[in-house]
Amino acid sequence: MTEQEKKENKSVYGDAPEDETIESHTLAIIVDNEPGVLARVIGLFSGRGYNIESLTVAEIDHEKNLSRITVVSTGTPQVIDQIKHQLGRLVPVHKVVDLTVSGPHVSSEVALIKIVREKDKHDAAIEKAKAFDAEIVDVTDESLIFEVTGDAQTVTNFINIMKPMGLTNVTRTGIVALMRGPKTI
Amino acid sequence: MTMAQAMGSVQTDTTSTTNQPEPAKILSGAQMVIEALIEQGVDTIFGYPGGAVLPIYDALFQQDKIRHILCRHEQGAAHAAEGYARSTGKPGVILVTSGPGATNAVTGLTDALLDSIPLICITGQVPTFLIGNDAFQEADTTGITRPCTKHNYLVKDVKNLSNVIHEAFHVCRSGRPGPVLIDLPKDVQFAEGEYVPKAKASTHMYQPQTKPDMEKIREAVALIAGAKKPVFYTGGGVINAGPQASKDLTEFVKLTGYPITSTLMGLGCFPAHEDQWLGMLGMHGTYEANWAMHDCDVMINIGARFDDRVTGDIKKFSPHSKKIHVDIDPSSINKIIHVDLAIVGDAGQAIKAMMDVWKEQNCKPDHDALHAWWSQIDEWRDVKCLSYNNSSHIIKPQYALERLRHHLAKSGKDTFITTEVGQHQMWAAQFLPFNKPNRWMTSGGLGTMGYGLPAAIGTQLGNPDGLVIDVAGEASILMNIQEMSTAVQYRLPVKIFILNNQWMGMVRQWQELLHGERYSSSYSESLPDFVKLAEAYGGIGLRAETPDQLDDVIERMLVTDKVTIVDVCVCQSENCFPMIPSGKAHNEMILAADAKQFDKKLV
Ligand SMILES: Cc1ncc(C[n+]2csc(CCOP(=O)(O)OP(=O)(O)O)c2C)c(N)n1
Ligand SMILES: [Mg+2]
């Protein structure tokens, strides 16, 4: 927006913030494991046009009935901030931690990768997979399925390498993440 | 709900001979609703029947502890419940049917969410086995209302029902209050189960922090005591904290001698007749309040949320101040404006704690600095930002409100003001004095036209001896005019004071000032005769066309014993000032006298 345009703002709302850098953040959210809780969390994103790059959810404490949701979201710092505030306001949400700002963390995801047909390349694929510690979890005459675990970048790298090898199907879990060191969350 | 399941069946202990536990009460789902509402202290509910709630209406018919107010539209029921809640401090309860009943209530729920009003909304739903079948009057109520309630429940098993209702009340009033919806399929209303009394209901893990951190309170007091140009910036949170919070705030502010302003939602938390009161702040706030906010060195925000109608341009918002923010909702803190000291907790407890520390440490404000600050404020006050050009032949809306204020003061009655949305709302906020909390019901966050009349009905029901006036615009009032019938049916002497400018005045004002005077669809080519309209409903209609008729009409209005519409024919072209244009700072506000210049600058 130019200075001139800004002076002429005719909106009942103020000016939009200046363009800011887009950042990717990993959020850990502890919630009550109850019907609709995932819809509530996701609804906050979709209803406001926020991005979800990856989402994982599973129960982590049966006794206390808690689930942990890991969301990777991208947006301007302002948008990320708003996401956290809105999440924190939900009744079944107990804790929202931005792992990207709260210190170093480890993150990991699992992918299953299916390779078919180009049989002559299977051996080469198996060879390459060793470097990634990828496991073969299914084999037929015409196909292979690898299971690879690692951070998102490693998984992406592995997929890229497998593309010319006859890769036909990919499924990824999305990342789970934990803070490094003795700190919890 | 899983919490409820966990403690669903309470077994009778057969081995013990003494202290026989009370036998479990077996009730139908519909009876449980009534029982739980009674236990929660509810005596009035607002609603509208339909197929999916008939069992509950049947149960209502067979009891006499809860009074049901039949509104004429579910939106009306929701706003009535809001007015009831806002003026009594108790949660408002509405009961509506599935599908259209639920969707009609959505505006009211959203309104309550934005203004932090505790509501319980019970919606009927098609039987569980039909959910998802596109059955008659089926709507995905929990899906639709998820983003416009604080929380919602779909109860699919009667054994969870009573616990869910108790939990819903807990959620709607704890922490930052808000609307909570319970969707209740018809088969669950018929089904029988064991009633879980309130005392045995599981408290949800939802336990928001209400007690402020004392270390931070002491830090805040040190900042407050050391201020040279302080200002209290208060909001609806103080009202929500209960009347004692307003009393304590008043005492604390008087102890300090500091100036105080408040948001639209906070009006009444500090008496407007006190010298330290600067008036409302924000887009149509007073010159002195906005300048004080801009120039202050310590800002004490208690229960307000830096709404965009209040801050103006956030980059230029109060650039030189240290900011303290007390809020019960941690997610409101540092959401819009970065603050220097954040205190999470109930406004009332925080005020009390700050005052105790202030007294204990025998704090004294810096008298010289404060004296200079007040001289500066007096200069701003001398601008007389609310002045307007009166007329002897045409009623100025501001003049109408000044006369209303005069007659209200004379009557000495405990007065409750509700409003619709538009210029009249802002003028009411500027010109009417609010000296006590819970006397001002307005749609702040959502700005819902059509709020005022049903809210007045709810307010009157909660305060049978109060004088309740809806300051209205002729466009807004038509949005829920059907509630006239409700007022007539329950003999509620609500007064509707229409500032009739024949325009959607607020829209017209923006078009005049910012859209080159192109008045696109903001004029009502045809309007009803409001006097006849009032009479047609069975109420009283009065009209004032010239300034000299005003006093008489107001006097007559104040003594009517039925719902009364006063059609005040006001100047069509009047604009509401002061005004902070978008993207401008507090110190760039436009006064009535500058309006001409404003035109040229921006159009
Ligand atoms: C339900 C709804 N629709 C539209 C608006 C936008 N709006 C805000 S003020 C206004 C005009 C209100 O006119 P009136 O009630 O006559 O009040 P006045 O401004 O003239 O005092 C409109 C259309 C709104 N606030 N609410
Ligand atoms: Mg109007």
Side-chain angles (χ1 to χ4, degrees), chain B residues 256-561:
Chain B
T256 61
Y258 293 174
I260 172 169
T261 177
S262 152
T263 65
L264 183 70
M265 296 311 294
L267 296 180
C269 69
F270 184 85
H273 59 68
E274 295 284 347
D275 245 11
Q276 284 162 261
W277 173 244
L278 300 183
M280 179 177 78
L281 83 165
M283 183 172 268
H284 292 290
T286 66
Y287 192 75
E288 48 272 34
N290 285 331
W291 266 95
M293 287 287 282
H294 184 271
D295 278 13
C296 67
D297 70 342
V298 174
M299 177 186 296
I300 309 134
N301 172 349
I302 306 176
R305 62 181 173 94
F306 297 107
D307 175 83
D308 56 75
R309 302 294 90 166
V310 156
T311 57
D313 182 354
I314 54 174
K315 286 195 269 355
K316 299 185 209 153
F317 177 74
S318 193
H320 311 298
S321 59
K322 285 245 182 276
K323 299 175 185 71
I324 301 168
H325 187 184
V326 177
D327 204 306
I328 198 152
D329 176 3
S331 69
S332 282
I333 289 172
N334 290 329
K335 185 174 195 293
I336 295 163
I337 297 289
H338 180 80
V339 296
D340 302 278
L341 182 60
I343 299 174
V344 174
D346 172 74
Q349 294 189 34
I351 292 164
K352 179 84 175 43
M354 286 194 278
M355 180 155 65
D356 288 348
V357 172
W358 180 280
K359 286 178 181 166
E360 194 182 285
Q361 301 184 344
N362 205 10
C363 292
K364 293 270 182 300
D366 178 338
H367 274 286
D368 292 344
L370 195 57
H371 183 75
W373 181 226
W374 273 112
S375 321
Q376 170 64 73
I377 290 171
D378 284 338
E379 276 176 40
W380 291 326
R381 277 177 164 167
D382 284 341
V383 169
K384 303 217 179 312
C385 67
L386 295 180
S387 52
Y388 60 96
N389 280 328
N390 209 356
S391 155
S392 58
H393 59 279
I394 187 153
I395 303 175
K396 287 296 181 91
Q398 302 96 321
Y399 179 69
L401 289 172
E402 284 190 325
R403 293 320 294 163
L404 179 62
R405 176 173 69 195
H406 169 81
H407 288 284
L408 290 178
K410 220 170 68 180
S411 85
K413 286 193 183 143
D414 194 6
T415 307
F416 298 75
I417 303 288
T418 73
T419 74
E420 307 290 337
V421 171
Q423 290 178 318
H424 62 275
Q425 176 190 28
M426 293 298 115
W427 281 316
Q430 292 173 340
F431 284 86
L432 299 178
F434 297 98
N435 296 320
K436 283 189 204 161
N438 308 97
R439 300 298 188 279
W440 166 246
M441 276 58 62
T442 196
S443 171
L446 196 62
T448 312
M449 292 169 69
Y451 168 89
L453 172 54
I457 286 171
T459 301
Q460 187 79 75
L461 282 158
N463 303 273
D465 300 324
L467 170 62
V468 182
I469 304 175
D470 172 25
V471 175
E474 80 297 329
S476 297
I477 192 69
L478 289 177
M479 285 210 176
N480 272 319
I481 191 71
Q482 75 287 343
E483 299 306 327
M484 283 291 290
S485 278
T486 314
V488 171
Q489 176 171 343
Y490 298 97
R491 299 196 182 81
L492 305 172
V494 164
K495 326 292 181 198
I496 303 161
F497 195 71
I498 303 180
L499 297 177
N500 185 348
N501 52 14
Q502 301 185 34
W503 287 84
M504 296 172 197
M506 193 53 100
V507 174
R508 191 202 53 70
Q509 174 167 351
W510 280 79
Q511 289 172 333
E512 178 188 334
L513 300 180
L514 294 149
H515 290 273
E517 299 184 56
R518 291 179 293 279
Y519 299 116
S520 181
S521 295
S522 52
Y523 182 69
S524 298
E525 294 280 347
S526 85
L527 282 167
D529 177 331
F530 284 105
V531 173
K532 284 191 189 151
L533 185 70
E535 288 164 356
Y537 275 110
I540 295 169
L542 301 169
R543 177 172 291 127
E545 287 171 308
T546 53
D548 56 325
Q549 294 170 350
L550 258 178
D551 285 327
D552 177 49
V553 161
I554 293 172
E555 274 172 9
R556 279 160 60 201
M557 168 187 94
L558 290 182
V559 295
T560 57
D561 59 354

Side-chain angles (χ1 to χ4, degrees), chain A residues 7 9-15 32-34 36 39-40 64-66 81-82 85-86 89 91-92 94, chain B residues 1-2 146 150-152 171 176 204-206 309 329 331-335 510 514-515 582-583 602:
Chain A
K7 270 207 204 91
N9 183 341
K10 292 179 184 175
S11 165
V12 268
Y13 304 96
D15 299 313
D32 284 331
N33 180 18
E34 62 178 30
R40 269 177 229 287
K64 292 191 188 140
N65 195 38
L66 294 177
D81 245 19
Q82 290 309 315
H85 283 120
Q86 299 290 352
R89 202 176 272 172
V91 170
H94 295 288
Chain B
M1 240 177 293
T2 13
R146 202 169 283 134
K150 180 174 175 183
H151 197 51
N152 64 15
V171 170
R176 181 178 181 172
H204 192 275
M205 286 175 78
Y206 181 67
R309 302 294 90 166
D329 176 3
S331 69
S332 282
I333 289 172
N334 290 329
K335 185 174 195 293
W510 280 79
L514 294 149
H515 290 273
S582 314
L602 287 170

